[in-house]
Amino acid sequence: MARTRWQYAAIAATVSLSIAACSDNTSWFKGESEAVDSALNTLVSDLDLRQDPRAGRNLPQITDPLPQLGRDLFFTKALGGGMDSACVTCHHPSLGGADALSFSVGVGAVNPDLLGEGRVHGGGLPLVPRNAPTVFNLGLWDTGLFWDSRVESLGKTAGANGAGSGIRTPDTLLGTADPGAGPNLASAQAHFPVTSAEEMRTSAFENGSSNEDVRSHLAARVGNYGIGAGELATNTWLPAFQAAFSSTDTAENLITFDNIAEAIGEYERSMVFVNSPWQRFLDGDTDAMTQQQKEGALLFFTRPGDGGAGCAACHSGPLFSNGMHTTVAFPQIGPGKGDGPTTNDDFGRERETGNPQDRYRFRVPSLLNIEMTAPYGHAGAYATLEEVVRHYDSPQRTVDTYFANGGWCQQDQFRDLASCASLYPDAVSNTQLALDKLRQEQRDRVSLFGQIDLEDAQVDQLVAFMQALTDPCVTDRSCLDPWIANNASSGHDGIQLNAVDEAMNPL
Ligand code: HEC
Ligand code: HEC
């Protein structure tokens, strides 16, 4: 069936290419724009793209009691071992649900409340080796979370968000359900950042303890009982938990880490931002996208062999991800995950499966609201969507140009560091290994990464199409307000993270 759909797409692509050939790119005649509309409508029907991303999913509203509690937990530094880092540190709604940095800075920041550009670690360099993905639309994932899906649904049931079929986490072996994962992928994931010394725990807090002991201590701190009693100067969490869980139970029974993770997960699952121009176009509003965006859509969904860019081979479905792990060889910069002879490489999915075939494979990311979450890739190497598209057009040349132009030193996070150029001496060779693997996979015909040859105008069209995946709500502070903890208050414990930007303006 898939092949037939791609064949139909080929017909649409042929139409679009003949249009491109006779257009001068500045003036559009009515007939030409109608031809693009009709080609795109054909493609949308044939690929069955007209879907509601929320369909069949049981997603909460932010006004529901559990997401309300989850939001406040997401914003409190009480869940950071040293009380200087919160979930929101790296996933702020005003920053696209991420942090606008190549590499996150968690504990030990010069100013813990300053998020985004200008956030620096006291030691100078970021310690987290991967880019923070958005937490928006988390409820649309059915496969796995993290760049290597180390939190993974065992059943991958469509529409379930990991519920009902067991979830593997870093606390269990590959393929084995974690009995403590909670109801869905979001709750399962929320058990882990608090255990990471760089992200939230600090090396001093519960040093050498098990993940379970770290979590119990934090829950006891929030609940003001046992080992955590008295650790917060003020504490009104119990009534908040009682309201959210409609219960009169004690703190010991109600403020457990599993309940904390469930509430945070429900908050994340309430962040559904899918009302993009693309979705409005699918819903029948022909004028929701510009001509250029529509041409970009045609390229995006058409196969390379048919003159398209082949993006939908991996970025498919309403989430724009097939949930698989593939090699695309974006630059490997930063401290890495300790892999390879240089110990600063990142083997991606192989780290979980142990299978060398999976080396340099990363989970295909969603492209919803992608405009808001630069820099891009698992190591946050590329600063713009244009660079990303050029990478697909010519991976080796784009990587070479990237490093020739200074690599990571082009980025705001590194630009001002005196020793910038010498920071990651193995970045070029590690990236080359990934590029070689990509080429080998292409030769072996196991790669979904097609050979394409884009003109500059087509690069712009693809970028424009990706900009049509932005829900206007995520660019509007007042629309996002329900997901941001009330910054006129210091929260339930006096250490809510009320974020500011580099200019000290509230986020
Ligand atoms: C120091 C920054 C930092 C903090 C603090 C942090 N995260 Fe993250 N988060 C990241 C990074 C980096 C990744 C990607 C890590 C990887 O894939 O290996 C990530 C991944 C995620 C993901 C996976 C998203 C996806 O699409 O796969 C979710 C969900 C998430 N974080 C939620 C949370 C929650 C909930 C908290 C608080 C309990 C939290 N994060 C705290 C940086 C952070
Ligand atoms: C072979 C599968 C595959 C194809 C084909 C593909 N992508 Fe990707 N895409 C990925 C993977 C995997 C990543 C993550 C790479 C990494 O982190 O190093 C990614 C990352 C991206 C990102 C950055 C996302 C983020 O959150 O940082 C964008 C943007 C993107 N792709 C757009 C496109 C476009 C446009 C096309 C078509 C020209 C395309 N992709 C084709 C697999 C693919």
Short mmCIF file of all heavy atoms in Angstrom, two decimals, residues 76-87 106-108 193-207 214-215 217-218 221 231-232 257 495:
data_model
loop_
_atom_site.label_atom_id
_atom_site.label_comp_id
_atom_site.label_asym_id
_atom_site.label_seq_id
_atom_site.Cartn_x
_atom_site.Cartn_y
_atom_site.Cartn_z
N THR A 76 9.41 23.76 40.06
CA THR A 76 10.08 23.95 41.35
C THR A 76 11.50 23.39 41.38
O THR A 76 11.75 22.28 40.91
CB THR A 76 9.28 23.35 42.52
OG1 THR A 76 10.03 23.63 43.73
CG2 THR A 76 9.09 21.85 42.41
N LYS A 77 12.39 24.19 41.97
CA LYS A 77 13.77 23.75 42.15
C LYS A 77 13.89 22.74 43.29
O LYS A 77 14.96 22.18 43.51
CB LYS A 77 14.68 24.97 42.39
CG LYS A 77 14.83 25.84 41.15
CD LYS A 77 15.69 27.08 41.40
CE LYS A 77 14.86 28.20 42.00
NZ LYS A 77 15.52 29.52 41.98
N ALA A 78 12.77 22.49 44.01
CA ALA A 78 12.81 21.51 45.09
C ALA A 78 13.13 20.12 44.56
O ALA A 78 13.62 19.27 45.30
CB ALA A 78 11.47 21.49 45.83
N LEU A 79 12.86 19.86 43.28
CA LEU A 79 13.16 18.54 42.72
C LEU A 79 14.61 18.43 42.25
O LEU A 79 15.05 17.37 41.80
CB LEU A 79 12.20 18.19 41.58
CG LEU A 79 10.75 17.90 42.01
CD1 LEU A 79 9.87 17.62 40.80
CD2 LEU A 79 10.70 16.72 42.99
N GLY A 80 15.34 19.51 42.33
CA GLY A 80 16.78 19.46 42.06
C GLY A 80 17.49 19.17 43.36
O GLY A 80 17.20 19.81 44.37
N GLY A 81 18.43 18.21 43.35
CA GLY A 81 19.10 17.84 44.59
C GLY A 81 19.65 19.04 45.34
O GLY A 81 19.45 19.19 46.55
N GLY A 82 20.32 19.94 44.62
CA GLY A 82 20.91 21.14 45.23
C GLY A 82 19.98 22.34 45.19
O GLY A 82 20.40 23.46 45.47
N MET A 83 18.72 22.09 44.84
CA MET A 83 17.69 23.14 44.77
C MET A 83 18.08 24.29 43.85
O MET A 83 17.76 25.45 44.13
CB MET A 83 17.32 23.66 46.17
CG MET A 83 16.82 22.55 47.08
SD MET A 83 15.95 23.15 48.52
CE MET A 83 16.41 21.93 49.74
N ASP A 84 18.77 23.97 42.75
CA ASP A 84 19.10 25.04 41.79
C ASP A 84 18.68 24.70 40.36
O ASP A 84 19.02 25.43 39.43
CB ASP A 84 20.58 25.42 41.86
CG ASP A 84 21.50 24.36 41.27
OD1 ASP A 84 21.07 23.19 41.13
OD2 ASP A 84 22.65 24.71 40.93
N SER A 85 17.97 23.59 40.17
CA SER A 85 17.55 23.21 38.82
C SER A 85 16.18 22.55 38.87
O SER A 85 15.88 21.77 39.77
CB SER A 85 18.59 22.25 38.22
OG SER A 85 18.21 21.83 36.95
N ALA A 86 15.34 22.90 37.90
CA ALA A 86 13.97 22.35 37.81
C ALA A 86 13.79 21.79 36.40
O ALA A 86 14.61 22.03 35.52
CB ALA A 86 12.96 23.46 38.07
N CYS A 87 12.69 21.07 36.18
CA CYS A 87 12.42 20.60 34.81
C CYS A 87 12.39 21.78 33.84
O CYS A 87 12.91 21.71 32.73
CB CYS A 87 11.08 19.89 34.73
SG CYS A 87 10.89 18.46 35.81
N GLY A 106 22.24 22.56 33.43
CA GLY A 106 21.32 22.24 34.52
C GLY A 106 21.80 22.80 35.83
O GLY A 106 21.62 24.00 36.10
N VAL A 107 22.45 21.97 36.65
CA VAL A 107 22.92 22.42 37.96
C VAL A 107 24.13 23.33 37.79
O VAL A 107 24.82 23.31 36.78
CB VAL A 107 23.30 21.22 38.86
CG1 VAL A 107 22.13 20.25 38.99
CG2 VAL A 107 24.54 20.51 38.33
N GLY A 108 24.39 24.14 38.81
CA GLY A 108 25.62 24.94 38.85
C GLY A 108 25.66 26.11 37.89
O GLY A 108 26.74 26.60 37.55
N PRO A 193 15.27 12.63 34.95
CA PRO A 193 16.11 13.82 35.06
C PRO A 193 16.58 14.09 36.50
O PRO A 193 17.70 14.56 36.71
CB PRO A 193 15.20 14.95 34.56
CG PRO A 193 14.23 14.26 33.63
CD PRO A 193 14.00 12.91 34.25
N VAL A 194 15.77 13.75 37.48
CA VAL A 194 16.14 14.04 38.88
C VAL A 194 17.32 13.18 39.34
O VAL A 194 17.96 13.49 40.34
CB VAL A 194 14.96 13.82 39.85
CG1 VAL A 194 13.82 14.80 39.55
CG2 VAL A 194 14.45 12.38 39.82
N THR A 195 17.61 12.10 38.60
CA THR A 195 18.72 11.22 38.99
C THR A 195 20.03 11.61 38.32
O THR A 195 21.08 11.07 38.65
CB THR A 195 18.42 9.75 38.64
OG1 THR A 195 18.37 9.62 37.20
CG2 THR A 195 17.08 9.30 39.22
N SER A 196 19.97 12.54 37.36
CA SER A 196 21.18 12.93 36.62
C SER A 196 21.92 14.04 37.35
O SER A 196 21.37 15.10 37.63
CB SER A 196 20.77 13.41 35.21
OG SER A 196 21.75 14.28 34.69
N ALA A 197 23.19 13.79 37.66
CA ALA A 197 23.99 14.76 38.43
C ALA A 197 24.11 16.09 37.69
O ALA A 197 24.11 17.15 38.32
CB ALA A 197 25.38 14.20 38.72
N GLU A 198 24.20 16.06 36.35
CA GLU A 198 24.38 17.29 35.58
C GLU A 198 23.07 18.03 35.40
O GLU A 198 23.05 19.25 35.34
CB GLU A 198 24.96 16.99 34.18
CG GLU A 198 26.37 16.41 34.18
CD GLU A 198 26.38 14.92 34.52
OE1 GLU A 198 25.37 14.24 34.21
OE2 GLU A 198 27.37 14.46 35.11
N GLU A 199 21.97 17.29 35.24
CA GLU A 199 20.70 17.96 34.95
C GLU A 199 20.05 18.53 36.22
O GLU A 199 19.69 19.69 36.27
CB GLU A 199 19.73 17.01 34.25
CG GLU A 199 20.21 16.67 32.83
CD GLU A 199 19.18 15.92 32.02
OE1 GLU A 199 18.05 15.68 32.49
OE2 GLU A 199 19.52 15.53 30.88
N MET A 200 19.89 17.68 37.26
CA MET A 200 19.14 18.14 38.43
C MET A 200 19.72 17.72 39.78
O MET A 200 19.61 18.43 40.76
CB MET A 200 17.68 17.65 38.35
CG MET A 200 16.90 18.30 37.21
SD MET A 200 15.18 17.74 37.09
CE MET A 200 14.39 18.67 38.40
N ARG A 201 20.35 16.55 39.87
CA ARG A 201 20.67 16.00 41.19
C ARG A 201 21.80 16.74 41.90
O ARG A 201 21.77 16.89 43.12
CB ARG A 201 21.03 14.50 41.04
CG ARG A 201 21.36 13.81 42.36
CD ARG A 201 21.49 12.30 42.20
NE ARG A 201 22.56 11.90 41.32
CZ ARG A 201 23.84 11.78 41.69
NH1 ARG A 201 24.21 12.03 42.93
NH2 ARG A 201 24.75 11.41 40.82
N THR A 202 22.79 17.18 41.17
CA THR A 202 24.10 17.64 41.66
C THR A 202 24.87 16.41 42.16
O THR A 202 24.26 15.40 42.55
CB THR A 202 24.05 18.67 42.83
OG1 THR A 202 23.54 18.02 44.01
CG2 THR A 202 23.24 19.88 42.49
N SER A 203 26.20 16.48 42.16
CA SER A 203 26.95 15.29 42.58
C SER A 203 26.93 15.12 44.10
O SER A 203 27.11 14.02 44.61
CB SER A 203 28.38 15.33 42.05
OG SER A 203 28.94 16.59 42.30
N ALA A 204 26.63 16.20 44.82
CA ALA A 204 26.64 16.09 46.29
C ALA A 204 25.41 15.37 46.84
O ALA A 204 25.50 14.60 47.80
CB ALA A 204 26.74 17.49 46.90
N PHE A 205 24.24 15.58 46.21
CA PHE A 205 22.98 15.04 46.77
C PHE A 205 22.88 13.53 46.54
O PHE A 205 22.97 13.07 45.39
CB PHE A 205 21.80 15.77 46.12
CG PHE A 205 20.44 15.32 46.60
CD1 PHE A 205 19.93 15.78 47.81
CD2 PHE A 205 19.68 14.43 45.85
CE1 PHE A 205 18.68 15.37 48.25
CE2 PHE A 205 18.42 14.02 46.29
CZ PHE A 205 17.92 14.49 47.49
N GLU A 206 22.68 12.76 47.62
CA GLU A 206 22.52 11.31 47.51
C GLU A 206 23.58 10.69 46.62
O GLU A 206 23.31 9.82 45.79
CB GLU A 206 21.11 10.94 47.00
CG GLU A 206 19.98 11.21 47.99
CD GLU A 206 19.96 10.23 49.18
OE1 GLU A 206 20.58 9.17 49.09
OE2 GLU A 206 19.33 10.58 50.21
N ASN A 207 24.82 11.15 46.81
CA ASN A 207 25.93 10.66 46.00
C ASN A 207 26.08 9.15 46.18
O ASN A 207 26.19 8.67 47.30
CB ASN A 207 27.21 11.39 46.41
CG ASN A 207 28.35 11.12 45.46
OD1 ASN A 207 28.14 10.56 44.37
ND2 ASN A 207 29.56 11.48 45.86
N VAL A 214 17.27 8.23 45.46
CA VAL A 214 17.25 9.65 45.10
C VAL A 214 15.80 10.14 45.04
O VAL A 214 15.43 11.17 45.62
CB VAL A 214 17.93 9.89 43.73
CG1 VAL A 214 17.75 11.34 43.27
CG2 VAL A 214 19.41 9.53 43.79
N ARG A 215 14.96 9.36 44.34
CA ARG A 215 13.55 9.77 44.17
C ARG A 215 12.80 9.80 45.50
O ARG A 215 12.03 10.73 45.76
CB ARG A 215 12.84 8.80 43.22
CG ARG A 215 13.38 8.87 41.80
CD ARG A 215 12.75 7.78 40.95
NE ARG A 215 13.47 7.64 39.69
CZ ARG A 215 13.87 6.47 39.17
NH1 ARG A 215 13.59 5.32 39.79
NH2 ARG A 215 14.53 6.45 38.03
N HIS A 217 14.00 10.31 48.46
CA HIS A 217 14.44 11.47 49.24
C HIS A 217 13.75 12.74 48.75
O HIS A 217 13.25 13.55 49.54
CB HIS A 217 15.97 11.59 49.17
CG HIS A 217 16.54 12.63 50.09
ND1 HIS A 217 17.84 12.62 50.52
CD2 HIS A 217 15.97 13.73 50.66
CE1 HIS A 217 18.06 13.66 51.32
NE2 HIS A 217 16.94 14.35 51.42
N LEU A 218 13.70 12.91 47.41
CA LEU A 218 13.06 14.12 46.87
C LEU A 218 11.57 14.16 47.20
O LEU A 218 11.03 15.22 47.55
CB LEU A 218 13.26 14.19 45.35
CG LEU A 218 14.71 14.43 44.90
CD1 LEU A 218 14.85 14.23 43.39
CD2 LEU A 218 15.18 15.84 45.31
N ARG A 221 11.20 15.20 50.66
CA ARG A 221 11.44 16.64 50.79
C ARG A 221 10.18 17.42 50.43
O ARG A 221 9.74 18.31 51.18
CB ARG A 221 12.58 17.06 49.85
CG ARG A 221 12.78 18.56 49.77
CD ARG A 221 13.71 18.94 48.63
NE ARG A 221 15.10 18.59 48.94
CZ ARG A 221 16.11 18.73 48.08
NH1 ARG A 221 15.89 19.20 46.85
NH2 ARG A 221 17.33 18.41 48.43
N GLU A 231 13.36 20.17 54.91
CA GLU A 231 14.35 20.64 53.92
C GLU A 231 13.87 21.88 53.16
O GLU A 231 14.69 22.61 52.60
CB GLU A 231 14.71 19.52 52.94
CG GLU A 231 15.59 18.45 53.60
CD GLU A 231 16.13 17.41 52.63
OE1 GLU A 231 15.85 17.47 51.42
OE2 GLU A 231 16.85 16.53 53.11
N LEU A 232 12.57 22.09 53.11
CA LEU A 232 12.05 23.29 52.43
C LEU A 232 11.63 24.32 53.47
O LEU A 232 10.94 23.99 54.44
CB LEU A 232 10.86 22.92 51.54
CG LEU A 232 11.16 21.92 50.42
CD1 LEU A 232 9.88 21.52 49.70
CD2 LEU A 232 12.18 22.49 49.45
N PHE A 257 7.10 9.58 44.77
CA PHE A 257 7.69 10.03 43.50
C PHE A 257 6.85 9.57 42.31
O PHE A 257 6.75 10.28 41.31
CB PHE A 257 9.16 9.61 43.33
CG PHE A 257 9.82 10.50 42.32
CD1 PHE A 257 10.39 11.70 42.69
CD2 PHE A 257 9.77 10.18 40.96
CE1 PHE A 257 10.92 12.58 41.73
CE2 PHE A 257 10.30 11.05 40.00
CZ PHE A 257 10.87 12.25 40.38
N ILE A 495 10.71 28.29 46.30
CA ILE A 495 11.82 28.17 45.34
C ILE A 495 11.32 27.77 43.95
O ILE A 495 11.96 27.02 43.22
CB ILE A 495 12.94 27.21 45.83
CG1 ILE A 495 12.36 25.88 46.31
CG2 ILE A 495 13.76 27.87 46.92
CD1 ILE A 495 13.44 24.83 46.59
#
